Amino acid sequence: MQADIVSSTMLIFCVCALLVSVCQSLPIVGWIQSPGYPHGYGSDISETWKRCAPPGHVLSLRLLHLDLEESYECENDVLKISEDHNLLANLCGRMTLEELQSSVNPSLRSSSGGCLSLTFQSDYSNTERHAGFKAFYTTQDVDECWENDVVCSHFCHNYIGGYSCSCKPGYYLDEDQHECRANCTEERYGAGVLKPPGSPGPYFENADCLFSLSVDEGNQLELKFTGVFDVESRDGRCVDFLKIKTDTETFGPFCGKNRPADILTAAQHVKVIFHSDLEGTNQGFSLEYKPKGMECSGKVTPDSTVSPVRDRYQVGETVTVRCVTGYVLIDSTETFTSTCQLNGRWSPIYSCEPVNCGHPELPDLMDLTEDNPQTLYEHTISVKCSSEYYKLDGNANFTCDATGEWVAENRQTFSQHTPQCVPVCGITTESARKRIFGGENATLGQIPWQLLVKEPHRGGASLINDRWAITAAHVVENQRSLIFAGGMVNARAKEKVEMQTEKIIIHPGYKKPNFDNDIALVKMSSRVPLSENLIPVCLPEKKTNGPTMEGKMGTVSGFGATDKRIKSPFLQYGHVKEYPGFCFQSNLKVTDNMFCAGDADGGVDSCKGDSGGPLVIPLLGFGSLNTPYRLKGIVSWGPPVCGNRDYKGYYTKVENYLDWIREMMEKN
């Protein structure tokens, strides 16, 4: 009895399952009509119907009757048909079946597995009775194989509710169930001939083949292409290709019609990779492979040479390895020895690494032009000064040499001939062309090398670089330290740069009461902050054979007296020229270390308080990058009365002391 019940249950289950399967394959059909059809619909009706097609099917709607109130843009009574948010039809008025069939029904079709929505609305009143609408819907199977968005590599098969792809013999269907790929992954051992799938004849399209070849230990694979070689290429590029790989080397890719040369792989295991695209009728290749006694290649490690030199080495042979120029072994040894092994590899193997010059130690005020430049062999670096008030003295560009040094084009090394950033001299941002006694007030930036010392006696000096100033010996004699001020034109100005002195060096030939060798150097205790208002003056390039001022007008400046007694709070300047012979009659001895200068009318002259200050050429306002201002004289001594047309002032001849100046600055 129990067995009969089980059998009956199973029978009912099977029938139900069969009915479900049959039902799913049958089309869905039905009618939709407006309320009251065909006797007329009422007022203020709003009703929506939604019908959907199962997967692999479309829903098709056919209007058989349409009789609604006519209105502008169907704003009164309306039948709207849409798929999702896409409106397919907006209908009202009366249309015959022929009109519906020709203009409306063809568009009432859903997408595969999509839904159609019908919305019927009537307004508050109708002046006459309208029957409404009636529609018939049904589902239809979609033939996906004819749809544009369905692509099967080889064959497409439609069935009710879907489709499937299949492949030609020798191919398999990829995971995407659409693309067909050649079935060509193999492992082979020993000797044989390798051809692409489809050979003889055009090889298969869409192939990604991997052939793994192996031989016994102590042997290597020898490869030889025979017969026709025809792998598709286009405009010199490989469309299809053949590539051969070992653990240490890759041969190819090969394509075109030129047969590749024989390959001795020096490997026990080799992978042959073949790729083709989706088209072409090329014939392919024939590759013979066979074992041969193992040898090692003539290359042990990159960037090295071996001795003795041969293309191939037998198992057990030993070579000496040396890194090429610019590369070194990690342990700093020059060479190592390596032996050819049964597997065709060398042992031991050490890497030759490129020489690393490292980042150079830069002097003050210097930067690299790049933030993080490469520092390996044959890479280059460039240096620059970090301030516009300095210029580079020396080489700017260096290359990492095999010695580990940064070397310039002239073979000078960075470490031995380190470039320096030296102050720009003799260049002003301001210039004037006006006619110190009888002079004019200077403006900021016109005479940026002018310095002032107030105590214990007022005097002047000239900045000659960012650590040193030059002045008259009698201004700084008997002083251990002084404070100089610069970067201003008003002696009372609060905004000025004060410089504490570290060392005062008076010329050893200076002795009172004579003013011969009236020159001194002053070293500041720290680097002077250069700016457009504080820039050094250039020293003379060399000693002249003719007139000290080279026949040019010059400019003298200072904070000294502007008449017979009053000292100026403002920096004054005036233009003077050199006079041969004596300036005035005096008991003091005039030497070749002095020269006389002044104004022809006596209206411009240096005076008390100007001592130690500069006399420069060219005339203020005529300096340039090619003609910087150079210090020709230092205000030294003069007549008891300033500004007398019959008397001129004496200046220390700076060009006579160039060697002494350089020597003192180098030693101190």
Side-chain angles (χ1 to χ4, degrees):
M1 182 67 180
Q2 188 173 1
D4 293 339
I5 295 173
V6 172
S7 300
S8 301
T9 303
M10 291 295 293
L11 179 61
I12 294 170
F13 174 79
C14 292
V15 171
C16 291
L18 180 61
L19 288 174
V20 169
S21 175
V22 171
C23 291
Q24 285 182 342
S25 66
L26 294 176
I28 299 174
V29 297
W31 297 91
I32 300 175
Q33 60 188 30
S34 56
Y37 179 86
H39 304 294
Y41 55 83
S43 302
D44 293 322
I45 294 175
S46 178
E47 191 167 345
T48 298
W49 300 265
K50 184 175 183 180
R51 299 292 185 269
C52 298
H57 293 73
V58 296
L59 186 73
S60 179
L61 186 71
R62 184 182 177 194
L63 281 170
L64 301 179
H65 191 86
L66 181 71
D67 177 18
L68 307 181
E69 181 184 5
E70 183 76 48
S71 61
Y72 175 72
E73 293 187 349
C74 299
E75 60 185 7
N76 293 341
D77 298 350
V78 64
L79 173 63
K80 295 181 179 181
I81 304 172
S82 60
E83 181 180 21
D84 295 330
H85 300 291
N86 181 31
L87 183 65
L88 302 180
N90 194 59
L91 305 171
C92 62
R94 288 188 177 91
M95 296 183 74
T96 66
L97 179 60
E98 289 76 13
E99 290 173 330
L100 291 170
Q101 284 287 81
S102 61
S103 61
V104 177
N105 289 340
S107 64
L108 305 183
R109 188 172 185 265
S110 75
S111 58
S112 178
C115 301
L116 294 181
S117 296
L118 290 79
T119 299
F120 173 69
Q121 292 177 329
S122 65
D123 63 358
Y124 60 91
S125 67
N126 285 298
T127 58
E128 61 180 278
R129 183 182 66 83
H130 294 278
F133 75 89
K134 186 173 185 179
F136 176 76
Y137 65 86
T138 184
T139 58
Q140 301 168 355
D141 176 59
V142 176
D143 190 348
E144 288 89 354
C145 293
W146 289 97
E147 296 288 337
N148 293 332
D149 58 347
V150 173
V151 177
C152 292
S153 290
H154 291 174
F155 307 114
C156 182
H157 310 282
N158 183 68
Y159 57 82
I160 295 176
Y163 70 97
S164 64
C165 300
S166 66
C167 302
K168 300 174 185 176
Y171 291 84
Y172 67 93
L173 198 60
D174 200 5
E175 291 180 359
D176 64 4
Q177 299 300 307
H178 288 76
E179 192 168 10
C180 293
R181 293 189 174 276
N183 188 9
C184 54
T185 297
E186 290 184 57
E187 292 186 3
R188 298 194 181 186
Y189 182 83
V193 177
L194 190 65
K195 295 184 179 183
S199 181
Y203 53 75
F204 285 175
E205 78 273 7
N206 204 21
D208 280 302
C209 301
L210 176 60
F211 302 98
S212 299
L213 310 181
S214 299
V215 290
D216 289 333
E217 187 178 19
N219 289 304
Q220 61 177 318
L221 278 156
E222 184 177 21
L223 306 178
K224 183 177 183 179
F225 289 92
T226 61
V228 173
F229 185 88
D230 179 22
V231 177
E232 185 181 6
S233 65
R234 190 178 303 125
D235 300 326
R237 297 181 301 105
C238 289
V239 178
D240 302 341
F241 64 83
L242 178 71
K243 191 182 293 184
I244 298 166
K245 296 184 70 173
T246 70
D247 289 344
T248 58
E249 198 167 0
T250 298
F251 304 90
F254 302 117
C255 64
K257 295 184 179 296
N258 295 324
R259 192 165 60 202
D262 298 350
I263 300 173
L264 202 56
T265 62
Q268 181 185 353
H269 304 284
V270 171
K271 294 185 183 300
V272 179
I273 300 167
F274 176 68
H275 168 81
S276 65
D277 66 356
L278 292 170
E279 58 186 19
T281 58
N282 300 75
Q283 298 300 304
F285 60 89
S286 178
L287 178 62
E288 289 185 359
Y289 58 93
K290 62 182 180 180
K292 183 183 178 183
M294 182 62 77
E295 296 174 334
C296 292
S297 71
K299 199 69 172 175
V300 175
T301 190
D303 305 306
S304 68
T305 60
V306 300
S307 60
V309 178
R310 290 203 298 273
D311 290 335
R312 297 283 169 179
Y313 298 83
Q314 299 297 318
V315 173
E317 287 191 293
T318 298
V319 294
T320 300
V321 185
R322 182 185 300 273
C323 296
V324 298
T325 301
Y327 290 78
V328 292
L329 296 168
I330 298 300
D331 62 0
S332 300
T333 56
E334 293 187 0
T335 63
F336 69 92
T337 58
S338 190
T339 303
C340 180
Q341 306 295 309
L342 277 173
N343 59 4
R345 299 180 186 176
W346 292 99
S347 181
I349 293 178
Y350 303 107
S351 297
C352 288
E353 301 293 339
V355 169
N356 192 339
C357 293
H359 289 276
E361 187 174 342
L362 301 177
D364 291 344
L365 305 169
M366 187 178 293
D367 291 327
L368 293 171
T369 56
E370 297 180 49
D371 290 337
N372 295 296
Q374 289 285 336
T375 60
L376 302 180
Y377 176 59
E378 291 190 331
H379 282 91
T380 60
I381 59 169
S382 298
V383 294
K384 64 179 181 179
C385 294
S386 55
S387 168
E388 62 183 302
Y389 301 107
Y390 290 81
K391 63 181 179 180
L392 196 67
D393 182 17
N395 297 298
N397 303 309
F398 296 85
T399 301
C400 182
D401 190 66
T403 60
E405 292 268 12
W406 289 105
V407 179
E409 190 174 352
N410 60 5
R411 301 307 301 169
Q412 289 183 341
T413 64
F414 189 94
S415 59
Q416 294 180 340
H417 301 86
T418 304
Q420 300 292 325
C421 284
V422 297
V424 174
C425 70
I427 304 299
T428 65
T429 55
E430 298 288 337
S431 62
R433 298 182 182 179
K434 301 180 179 178
R435 270 214 7 120
I436 307 173
F437 187 92
E440 299 288 341
N441 288 347
T443 59
L444 275 173
Q446 277 187 311
I447 312 173
W449 46 82
Q450 177 79 51
L451 303 183
L452 169 66
V453 59
K454 293 183 179 180
E455 301 293 341
H457 306 291
R458 177 171 287 209
S462 302
L463 192 67
I464 58 173
N465 63 31
D466 58 0
R467 292 299 295 266
W468 291 86
I470 195 167
T471 186
H474 76 270
V475 172
V476 294
E477 63 179 334
N478 302 323
Q479 303 299 318
R480 292 186 175 181
S481 66
L482 293 168
I483 295 178
F484 283 84
M488 83 296 184
V489 292
N490 185 347
R492 300 172 185 149
K494 294 182 179 179
E495 295 180 357
K496 58 180 176 290
V497 178
E498 290 192 344
M499 292 155 267
Q500 182 76 41
T501 61
E502 178 184 299
K503 186 176 293 186
I504 297 173
I505 304 173
I506 295 175
H507 193 277
Y510 171 73
K511 291 182 177 59
K512 276 192 170 184
N514 194 7
F515 286 94
D516 192 25
N517 301 308
D518 190 14
I519 187 170
L521 287 169
V522 180
K523 184 179 182 182
M524 306 304 173
S525 60
S526 61
R527 191 186 301 278
V528 176
L530 302 184
S531 68
E532 63 181 357
N533 299 325
L534 193 56
I535 294 174
V537 67
C538 297
L539 292 172
E541 292 182 286
K542 60 183 179 179
K543 183 176 174 61
T544 58
N545 294 324
T548 303
M549 292 178 61
E550 305 171 20
K552 301 176 182 178
M553 288 286 287
T555 300
V556 61
S557 56
F559 290 89
T562 55
D563 57 24
K564 294 180 176 58
R565 282 182 285 180
I566 301 173
K567 295 176 183 177
S568 172
F570 299 103
L571 177 61
Q572 297 274 303
Y573 69 89
H575 303 320
V576 295
K577 67 177 182 178
E578 184 177 358
Y579 284 86
F582 295 95
C583 291
F584 61 92
Q585 191 63 38
S586 172
N587 293 329
L588 298 177
K589 182 181 179 181
V590 176
T591 71
D592 187 51
N593 294 321
M594 312 170 188
F595 69 95
C596 177
D599 177 53
D601 299 327
V604 177
D605 195 6
S606 56
C607 202
K608 188 172 183 180
D610 293 323
S611 292
L615 191 165
V616 300
I617 64 168
L619 205 65
L620 191 63
F622 289 89
S624 66
L625 289 173
N626 297 324
T627 311
Y629 294 101
R630 296 190 181 276
L631 182 67
K632 300 299 283 189
I634 298 172
V635 178
S636 182
W637 62 286
V641 178
C642 305
N644 190 315
R645 65 179 297 167
D646 296 325
Y647 302 138
K648 313 299 177 189
Y650 280 106
Y651 296 82
T652 302
K653 194 183 293 186
V654 177
E655 64 186 42
N656 286 4
Y657 301 93
L658 295 178
D659 291 340
W660 176 77
I661 293 170
R662 295 189 185 100
E663 181 184 1
M664 291 301 102
M665 289 195 298
E666 287 176 2
K667 290 183 176 180
N668 294 278

